[in-house]
Amino acid sequence: DEWKDRGAAVSIQRHVDSNGNQTHRIVKKGVQDFSFGRTLGEGSYSTVLAATDRQTLTEYAIKVLDKRHIIKEKKVKYVNIEKNTLNRLGDHPGIVRLYYTFQDERSLYFVLDLAAGGELLGFVKKLGSFDEECTRFYGAQILDAIEYMHSKGVIHRDLKPENVLLDDQMHVKITDFGTAKILDAPRPNRSSNAEGRMQLDRQEQDFANNIGIPEHERANSFVGTAEYVSPELLTDKAACKGSDLWAFGCIIFQLLAGRPPFKAGNEYQTFQKIVNLEYQFPPGFPKIARDLVERLLVLDPTKRLTIEHIKSHPFFEGIAWGKRLWKQKAPRLK
Ligand code: ATP
């Protein structure tokens, strides 16, 4: 059986009451529990639909994946990576949350946070570029989400403005973990509660399922998107946490400049520019932001700024990091 979660239309919900006591509730959901609405987008193997939980009236985005197509194109492992990573990253406001998975004969269903605002890329295209205030806010939310995923041992490997979605408050929700890499064994909270143990076992099982996935599919193949791929992936065929910070540098550049730093007529030429660090700031690019980007777009990944250093860089002065960042009102995009 290719699908590890056959029949597991189960979500374990954790509740913490005002005294700090934890309880767990097993919630079973299936296709019949949702009413499906408009199409939010299409991927190569999937369609994402808006959907409403008939009972709670909560809105979700449901990603419907075509099993036959996935098997035919040998993408099963990517679907499993996406599910396993999302299960591991269930608790951060800046990352799309996976609530339930279930399946029928034809399809797999991932019930996700609805990101009603769509892709950050759409806003960059519409506005041409962002001002410093908006770049600071969106940059900070993206960085906070990266810090969380790295703390959970996950490297995204394909960060770009298309994979940064926005919710109805115009806050960041990072998505597309199909090419992520899981670094180490999970360290979930040990719980004496039976359901807690069940969740732990499943996470451990999911992790075990990932062992044996070769780091790179084929020679000369790479994961990610040409414009945002890090030089170490091109030269050493290896990604590290720093590879996400390279992509973060590309995103900061793009928000302010309106175009990614490395872009050429084809992928090969783009790769050449990346490994030669061949890029130019447009006239008027803010000086402090330029300093930040120059410290991120560094060929040696060990010499890039660390997340701690990025947070204390003058470009992010005045940002309230952590929980407060997610309570803040998003600046109006202009
Ligand atoms: P591909 O599989 O070809 O790489 P993709 O990763 O964009 O494409 P999906 O993840 O299926 O494929 O997403 C399809 C589209 O649906 C995307 O363009 C995205 O904007 C939209 N979408 C995905 N997830 C959500 C969500 N949680 N909320 C709102 N829209 C979403």
Short mmCIF file of all heavy atoms in Angstrom, two decimals, residues 54-92:
data_model
loop_
_atom_site.label_atom_id
_atom_site.label_comp_id
_atom_site.label_asym_id
_atom_site.label_seq_id
_atom_site.Cartn_x
_atom_site.Cartn_y
_atom_site.Cartn_z
N ARG A 54 -18.95 21.47 7.69
CA ARG A 54 -20.41 21.61 7.80
C ARG A 54 -20.86 21.81 9.25
O ARG A 54 -21.84 22.49 9.51
CB ARG A 54 -21.10 20.35 7.26
CG ARG A 54 -20.94 20.16 5.77
CD ARG A 54 -21.71 18.92 5.31
NE ARG A 54 -21.29 18.48 4.00
CZ ARG A 54 -21.74 18.98 2.86
NH1 ARG A 54 -22.64 19.95 2.87
NH2 ARG A 54 -21.30 18.51 1.71
N GLN A 55 -20.11 21.22 10.18
CA GLN A 55 -20.51 21.27 11.58
C GLN A 55 -20.09 22.58 12.25
O GLN A 55 -20.89 23.23 12.91
CB GLN A 55 -19.84 20.09 12.29
CG GLN A 55 -20.58 19.67 13.52
CD GLN A 55 -19.83 18.54 14.22
OE1 GLN A 55 -18.80 18.05 13.77
NE2 GLN A 55 -20.37 18.15 15.35
N THR A 56 -18.84 22.96 12.09
CA THR A 56 -18.32 24.13 12.80
C THR A 56 -18.37 25.40 11.97
O THR A 56 -18.16 26.49 12.49
CB THR A 56 -16.84 23.91 13.21
OG1 THR A 56 -16.07 23.80 12.00
CG2 THR A 56 -16.67 22.64 14.02
N LEU A 57 -18.63 25.26 10.67
CA LEU A 57 -18.65 26.37 9.70
C LEU A 57 -17.27 27.04 9.55
O LEU A 57 -17.16 28.14 9.01
CB LEU A 57 -19.73 27.41 10.03
CG LEU A 57 -21.16 26.87 10.07
CD1 LEU A 57 -22.15 27.99 10.35
CD2 LEU A 57 -21.53 26.16 8.75
N THR A 58 -16.23 26.37 10.03
CA THR A 58 -14.88 26.89 9.85
C THR A 58 -14.48 26.71 8.38
O THR A 58 -14.77 25.68 7.78
CB THR A 58 -13.87 26.12 10.73
OG1 THR A 58 -14.37 26.11 12.06
CG2 THR A 58 -12.49 26.76 10.70
N GLU A 59 -13.82 27.74 7.86
CA GLU A 59 -13.36 27.65 6.47
C GLU A 59 -11.94 27.11 6.39
O GLU A 59 -11.09 27.46 7.22
CB GLU A 59 -13.38 29.04 5.84
CG GLU A 59 -14.75 29.48 5.40
CD GLU A 59 -14.63 30.61 4.40
OE1 GLU A 59 -14.30 31.72 4.86
OE2 GLU A 59 -14.81 30.36 3.19
N TYR A 60 -11.70 26.27 5.42
CA TYR A 60 -10.37 25.71 5.18
C TYR A 60 -10.04 25.80 3.71
O TYR A 60 -10.90 26.11 2.88
CB TYR A 60 -10.33 24.23 5.59
CG TYR A 60 -10.55 23.97 7.06
CD1 TYR A 60 -11.81 23.62 7.55
CD2 TYR A 60 -9.49 24.05 7.96
CE1 TYR A 60 -12.02 23.36 8.89
CE2 TYR A 60 -9.68 23.79 9.31
CZ TYR A 60 -10.94 23.45 9.76
OH TYR A 60 -11.14 23.20 11.10
N ALA A 61 -8.77 25.48 3.41
CA ALA A 61 -8.39 25.21 2.02
C ALA A 61 -8.14 23.71 1.98
O ALA A 61 -7.41 23.18 2.82
CB ALA A 61 -7.12 25.97 1.67
N ILE A 62 -8.77 23.01 1.05
CA ILE A 62 -8.52 21.56 0.94
C ILE A 62 -7.76 21.29 -0.34
O ILE A 62 -8.19 21.65 -1.44
CB ILE A 62 -9.83 20.74 1.01
CG1 ILE A 62 -10.54 21.02 2.35
CG2 ILE A 62 -9.52 19.24 0.86
CD1 ILE A 62 -11.70 20.09 2.67
N LYS A 63 -6.59 20.68 -0.15
CA LYS A 63 -5.76 20.31 -1.30
C LYS A 63 -6.14 18.89 -1.70
O LYS A 63 -6.03 17.97 -0.89
CB LYS A 63 -4.28 20.41 -0.90
CG LYS A 63 -3.31 20.09 -2.00
CD LYS A 63 -1.94 20.65 -1.63
CE LYS A 63 -0.85 20.11 -2.53
NZ LYS A 63 0.39 20.88 -2.38
N VAL A 64 -6.61 18.74 -2.92
CA VAL A 64 -7.05 17.44 -3.41
C VAL A 64 -5.99 16.92 -4.38
O VAL A 64 -5.69 17.57 -5.38
CB VAL A 64 -8.41 17.56 -4.15
CG1 VAL A 64 -8.93 16.19 -4.55
CG2 VAL A 64 -9.44 18.29 -3.27
N LEU A 65 -5.39 15.80 -4.01
CA LEU A 65 -4.29 15.26 -4.82
C LEU A 65 -4.75 14.01 -5.55
O LEU A 65 -5.37 13.13 -4.95
CB LEU A 65 -3.10 14.92 -3.92
CG LEU A 65 -2.50 16.10 -3.16
CD1 LEU A 65 -2.60 15.88 -1.66
CD2 LEU A 65 -1.07 16.34 -3.57
N ASP A 66 -4.42 13.93 -6.82
CA ASP A 66 -4.85 12.83 -7.66
C ASP A 66 -3.88 11.65 -7.50
O ASP A 66 -2.74 11.71 -7.94
CB ASP A 66 -4.90 13.31 -9.11
CG ASP A 66 -5.39 12.21 -10.04
OD1 ASP A 66 -6.45 11.65 -9.76
OD2 ASP A 66 -4.68 11.91 -11.01
N LYS A 67 -4.35 10.55 -6.86
CA LYS A 67 -3.46 9.43 -6.53
C LYS A 67 -2.81 8.81 -7.76
O LYS A 67 -1.61 8.55 -7.76
CB LYS A 67 -4.26 8.33 -5.80
CG LYS A 67 -4.62 8.67 -4.39
CD LYS A 67 -4.96 7.39 -3.66
CE LYS A 67 -6.25 7.50 -2.94
NZ LYS A 67 -6.65 6.26 -2.27
N ARG A 68 -3.63 8.56 -8.79
CA ARG A 68 -3.08 7.88 -9.98
C ARG A 68 -1.97 8.70 -10.62
O ARG A 68 -0.92 8.18 -10.97
CB ARG A 68 -4.21 7.63 -11.00
CG ARG A 68 -4.67 6.19 -10.95
CD ARG A 68 -5.80 5.92 -11.92
NE ARG A 68 -5.54 6.43 -13.28
CZ ARG A 68 -6.48 6.63 -14.18
NH1 ARG A 68 -7.74 6.39 -13.88
NH2 ARG A 68 -6.18 7.07 -15.37
N HIS A 69 -2.23 10.00 -10.71
CA HIS A 69 -1.25 10.90 -11.31
C HIS A 69 0.05 10.93 -10.50
O HIS A 69 1.16 10.87 -11.04
CB HIS A 69 -1.87 12.31 -11.41
CG HIS A 69 -1.09 13.26 -12.25
ND1 HIS A 69 -1.41 14.57 -12.35
CD2 HIS A 69 0.01 13.09 -13.02
CE1 HIS A 69 -0.54 15.18 -13.15
NE2 HIS A 69 0.33 14.29 -13.57
N ILE A 70 -0.10 10.95 -9.18
CA ILE A 70 1.08 11.01 -8.29
C ILE A 70 1.91 9.72 -8.42
O ILE A 70 3.14 9.77 -8.48
CB ILE A 70 0.64 11.24 -6.83
CG1 ILE A 70 0.09 12.66 -6.68
CG2 ILE A 70 1.80 11.03 -5.87
CD1 ILE A 70 -0.68 12.87 -5.41
N ILE A 71 1.24 8.60 -8.46
CA ILE A 71 1.95 7.32 -8.58
C ILE A 71 2.64 7.25 -9.94
O ILE A 71 3.82 6.91 -10.04
CB ILE A 71 1.00 6.13 -8.37
CG1 ILE A 71 0.52 6.12 -6.91
CG2 ILE A 71 1.68 4.81 -8.72
CD1 ILE A 71 -0.62 5.16 -6.63
N LYS A 72 1.91 7.63 -10.98
CA LYS A 72 2.46 7.58 -12.34
C LYS A 72 3.71 8.45 -12.46
O LYS A 72 4.70 8.06 -13.07
CB LYS A 72 1.38 8.04 -13.34
CG LYS A 72 1.59 7.48 -14.73
CD LYS A 72 0.41 7.76 -15.64
CE LYS A 72 0.82 8.72 -16.72
NZ LYS A 72 -0.19 9.72 -17.04
N GLU A 73 3.67 9.61 -11.85
CA GLU A 73 4.80 10.54 -11.96
C GLU A 73 5.84 10.33 -10.85
O GLU A 73 6.75 11.14 -10.69
CB GLU A 73 4.29 11.99 -11.91
CG GLU A 73 3.32 12.36 -13.02
CD GLU A 73 3.98 12.40 -14.40
OE1 GLU A 73 5.14 12.83 -14.47
OE2 GLU A 73 3.33 11.98 -15.37
N LYS A 74 5.67 9.27 -10.06
CA LYS A 74 6.62 8.94 -8.99
C LYS A 74 6.82 10.08 -7.99
O LYS A 74 7.95 10.43 -7.63
CB LYS A 74 7.97 8.52 -9.60
CG LYS A 74 7.88 7.30 -10.51
CD LYS A 74 9.27 6.78 -10.81
CE LYS A 74 9.32 5.42 -11.44
NZ LYS A 74 8.25 5.06 -12.35
N LYS A 75 5.73 10.66 -7.55
CA LYS A 75 5.82 11.78 -6.62
C LYS A 75 5.33 11.40 -5.22
O LYS A 75 5.11 12.28 -4.38
CB LYS A 75 4.99 12.98 -7.13
CG LYS A 75 5.43 13.50 -8.48
CD LYS A 75 6.81 14.12 -8.43
CE LYS A 75 7.27 14.52 -9.82
NZ LYS A 75 8.67 14.91 -9.89
N VAL A 76 5.15 10.10 -4.97
CA VAL A 76 4.61 9.67 -3.68
C VAL A 76 5.45 10.19 -2.52
O VAL A 76 4.93 10.69 -1.52
CB VAL A 76 4.51 8.12 -3.62
CG1 VAL A 76 4.08 7.66 -2.23
CG2 VAL A 76 3.53 7.62 -4.67
N LYS A 77 6.77 10.12 -2.67
CA LYS A 77 7.63 10.52 -1.55
C LYS A 77 7.49 12.02 -1.24
O LYS A 77 7.55 12.43 -0.08
CB LYS A 77 9.08 10.12 -1.79
CG LYS A 77 9.81 10.98 -2.79
CD LYS A 77 11.29 10.63 -2.82
CE LYS A 77 11.49 9.22 -3.37
NZ LYS A 77 12.81 9.02 -3.93
N TYR A 78 7.24 12.82 -2.27
CA TYR A 78 7.09 14.26 -2.03
C TYR A 78 5.80 14.55 -1.27
O TYR A 78 5.75 15.43 -0.42
CB TYR A 78 7.12 15.04 -3.35
CG TYR A 78 8.44 14.91 -4.05
CD1 TYR A 78 8.57 14.16 -5.21
CD2 TYR A 78 9.58 15.52 -3.53
CE1 TYR A 78 9.80 14.02 -5.84
CE2 TYR A 78 10.81 15.39 -4.15
CZ TYR A 78 10.91 14.64 -5.31
OH TYR A 78 12.12 14.50 -5.90
N VAL A 79 4.77 13.78 -1.61
CA VAL A 79 3.49 13.95 -0.90
C VAL A 79 3.68 13.57 0.56
O VAL A 79 3.20 14.25 1.47
CB VAL A 79 2.39 13.10 -1.58
CG1 VAL A 79 1.10 13.16 -0.78
CG2 VAL A 79 2.16 13.57 -3.01
N ASN A 80 4.42 12.48 0.79
CA ASN A 80 4.68 12.06 2.17
C ASN A 80 5.53 13.08 2.92
O ASN A 80 5.28 13.36 4.09
CB ASN A 80 5.35 10.68 2.21
CG ASN A 80 4.34 9.57 2.00
OD1 ASN A 80 3.20 9.67 2.44
ND2 ASN A 80 4.74 8.52 1.31
N ILE A 81 6.52 13.64 2.24
CA ILE A 81 7.36 14.66 2.89
C ILE A 81 6.49 15.85 3.29
O ILE A 81 6.59 16.37 4.39
CB ILE A 81 8.52 15.12 1.96
CG1 ILE A 81 9.55 14.00 1.79
CG2 ILE A 81 9.20 16.38 2.52
CD1 ILE A 81 10.63 14.31 0.76
N GLU A 82 5.63 16.27 2.37
CA GLU A 82 4.78 17.42 2.66
C GLU A 82 3.92 17.16 3.90
O GLU A 82 3.83 18.00 4.80
CB GLU A 82 3.90 17.74 1.45
CG GLU A 82 3.04 18.97 1.67
CD GLU A 82 2.36 19.48 0.41
OE1 GLU A 82 2.29 18.74 -0.59
OE2 GLU A 82 1.89 20.62 0.45
N LYS A 83 3.33 15.98 3.93
CA LYS A 83 2.45 15.66 5.05
C LYS A 83 3.24 15.56 6.37
O LYS A 83 2.85 16.12 7.39
CB LYS A 83 1.72 14.35 4.77
CG LYS A 83 0.56 14.11 5.70
CD LYS A 83 -0.07 12.77 5.45
CE LYS A 83 0.03 11.97 6.72
NZ LYS A 83 -0.02 10.53 6.50
N ASN A 84 4.36 14.86 6.31
CA ASN A 84 5.16 14.67 7.53
C ASN A 84 5.70 16.00 8.07
O ASN A 84 5.72 16.22 9.28
CB ASN A 84 6.33 13.73 7.27
CG ASN A 84 5.85 12.33 6.94
OD1 ASN A 84 4.72 11.97 7.23
ND2 ASN A 84 6.70 11.53 6.32
N THR A 85 6.14 16.85 7.16
CA THR A 85 6.69 18.14 7.62
C THR A 85 5.57 18.99 8.20
O THR A 85 5.74 19.59 9.26
CB THR A 85 7.33 18.93 6.46
OG1 THR A 85 7.45 18.14 5.33
CG2 THR A 85 8.64 19.47 6.81
N LEU A 86 4.45 19.06 7.51
CA LEU A 86 3.34 19.88 8.03
C LEU A 86 2.87 19.36 9.38
O LEU A 86 2.56 20.14 10.28
CB LEU A 86 2.18 19.91 7.03
CG LEU A 86 2.41 20.78 5.79
CD1 LEU A 86 1.28 20.61 4.79
CD2 LEU A 86 2.56 22.26 6.17
N ASN A 87 2.87 18.05 9.56
CA ASN A 87 2.49 17.49 10.86
C ASN A 87 3.45 17.93 11.95
O ASN A 87 3.08 18.09 13.10
CB ASN A 87 2.45 15.96 10.81
CG ASN A 87 1.10 15.44 10.34
OD1 ASN A 87 0.08 16.12 10.50
ND2 ASN A 87 1.09 14.27 9.76
N ARG A 88 4.69 18.11 11.57
CA ARG A 88 5.72 18.50 12.52
C ARG A 88 5.68 19.98 12.86
O ARG A 88 6.18 20.41 13.88
CB ARG A 88 7.07 18.21 11.88
CG ARG A 88 8.11 17.83 12.85
CD ARG A 88 9.37 17.63 12.04
NE ARG A 88 10.10 16.58 12.65
CZ ARG A 88 11.42 16.60 12.81
NH1 ARG A 88 12.15 17.56 12.35
NH2 ARG A 88 12.00 15.62 13.41
N LEU A 89 5.11 20.77 11.95
CA LEU A 89 5.14 22.23 12.10
C LEU A 89 3.76 22.77 12.43
O LEU A 89 3.34 23.79 11.92
CB LEU A 89 5.65 22.87 10.81
CG LEU A 89 7.06 22.49 10.35
CD1 LEU A 89 7.37 23.11 9.00
CD2 LEU A 89 8.10 22.88 11.38
N GLY A 90 3.04 22.03 13.27
CA GLY A 90 1.63 22.35 13.47
C GLY A 90 1.32 23.58 14.30
O GLY A 90 0.17 23.94 14.46
N ASP A 91 2.33 24.23 14.82
CA ASP A 91 2.01 25.18 15.86
C ASP A 91 2.67 26.54 15.68
O ASP A 91 3.21 27.09 16.62
CB ASP A 91 2.43 24.56 17.21
CG ASP A 91 1.68 25.23 18.34
OD1 ASP A 91 0.63 25.83 18.08
OD2 ASP A 91 2.19 25.16 19.48
N HIS A 92 2.61 27.08 14.48
CA HIS A 92 3.16 28.42 14.30
C HIS A 92 2.23 29.22 13.40
O HIS A 92 1.80 28.72 12.36
CB HIS A 92 4.57 28.37 13.69
CG HIS A 92 5.26 29.70 13.72
ND1 HIS A 92 5.06 30.65 12.75
CD2 HIS A 92 6.10 30.24 14.63
CE1 HIS A 92 5.78 31.72 13.06
NE2 HIS A 92 6.43 31.50 14.19
#
